[in-house]
Amino acid sequence: MRKWKLVSVVILAAALAFLAVARAQTDRSSAAKMNAKSAAFDPHDLSGIWNPAPFMHPKDEVDVLDLSGHPNPLPPFTPAGEATYLANAKFIAAGAVLDCDPFGTARNFFTPRPFEILLTHDRLLQHFEYYDNWREIWTDGRKIPDDVEPDYMGYSIGRWDGDAFVVDSAAYNGKQFLTWQGFPIGESLHQTERWQRMDQDTLKIVFTFDDPKNYTKPWSVTGFWKLRKDWTLDAHPCTLSAIKEYDERVNHADKLPGRDYGAPTKK
């Protein structure tokens, strides 16, 4: 009996030792997998083609990708901002005469098309597929100049705050919409973006719009994009032929003011 007990103790000790080794190996394997996953991407490397992921949009925020014509909730409009929005929305619902003016930074983001990020030593270049729009984000430490000429795309500077890329944009000319729904833009708009690469395939950007002419307070929305390693951007320039085709197919059919592309008539 004593011999049997001794054998049992030896077997139990061996089993416990085996379990300890196995658990240690499992822990090391899990840690290795976690380290490999975290090391699989550089959070400071934003290069590549990113495609919108509207299914990740927070449900309680203004849906800047909603094309139904009835976004809910709406941003905090001032009376002037609401009046401009309603006029813009009516224009869009009627057919919205197409032109080749740049969409501006926000509306380019909120277009259901991808964009590509290219990095250089002093700036980040953003190439939007729709209308072939380009944006420069300066990363060389400069400030937004006081005398810069207002533009559709504004003037953008960027810096790193830990693993977040923070972008400040201003100097907009106020001639575009903030979104497809017709949310207005004022020349005083200050747009802030906080970019974070959440994992290998996910980019999160939090936008904050500060435009006292059109909104009673700064308001924010969150967007998500997915990395597409096997994609290239399509050529999608805005051309005179595209405007003509749209004008003839849509605007004339809706009896909106059209453009006359024929030879000028003699008086």
Side-chain angles (χ1 to χ4, degrees), residues 52 224 250:
F224 291 89
V250 179

Side-chain angles (χ1 to χ4, degrees), residues 51-246:
N51 193 51
F55 60 91
M56 300 179 70
H57 182 83
K59 301 300 183 183
D60 58 340
E61 292 186 356
V62 177
D63 188 355
V64 290
L65 286 171
D66 174 65
L67 303 182
S68 68
H70 304 283
N72 183 30
L74 289 169
F77 291 121
T78 63
E82 183 177 18
T84 303
Y85 161 64
L86 293 175
N88 292 344
K90 183 177 181 181
F91 178 67
I92 292 169
V97 176
L98 188 70
D99 60 44
C100 282
D101 291 340
F103 273 5
T105 55
R107 190 175 173 189
N108 266 305
F109 272 112
F110 304 144
T111 298
R113 295 291 185 97
F115 60 80
E116 185 172 12
I117 296 297
L118 305 169
L119 303 176
T120 73
H121 72 283
D122 63 352
R123 76 196 81 174
L124 180 150
L125 296 175
Q126 199 170 7
H127 183 198
F128 296 97
E129 181 178 75
Y130 201 64
Y131 278 15
D132 199 31
N133 283 176
W134 286 84
R135 179 195 191 191
E136 288 180 321
I137 302 176
W138 293 95
T139 57
D140 56 0
R142 70 179 64 190
K143 305 296 183 182
I144 297 177
D146 294 331
D147 59 349
V148 65
E149 188 73 20
D151 187 60
Y152 287 100
M153 300 297 288
Y155 193 100
S156 301
I157 57 174
R159 59 180 176 82
W160 284 101
D161 179 15
D163 287 340
F165 184 60
V166 181
V167 182
D168 288 309
S169 299
Y172 291 97
N173 61 16
K175 296 181 180 180
Q176 265 297 359
F177 303 150
L178 193 71
T179 66
W180 279 92
Q181 298 100 326
F183 298 165
I185 291 177
E187 292 184 16
S188 60
L189 171 66
H190 177 210
Q191 178 174 312
T192 306
E193 302 149 34
R194 192 173 182 88
W195 303 29
Q196 286 183 284
R197 190 168 181 177
M198 308 301 291
D199 56 40
Q200 171 68 33
D201 301 318
T202 308
L203 176 64
K204 171 186 174 182
I205 304 179
V206 178
F207 300 83
T208 301
F209 307 108
D210 187 359
D211 180 1
K213 176 183 177 181
N214 294 300
Y215 307 98
T216 60
K217 62 181 180 179
W219 59 284
S220 300
V221 293
T222 307
F224 291 89
W225 286 260
K226 288 293 186 178
L227 183 65
R228 301 300 181 186
K229 297 179 181 179
D230 57 343
W231 283 21
T232 57
L233 295 186
D234 291 336
H236 201 285
C238 184
T239 63
L240 183 63
S241 59
I243 295 176
K244 180 179 179 181
E245 189 271 339
Y246 181 91

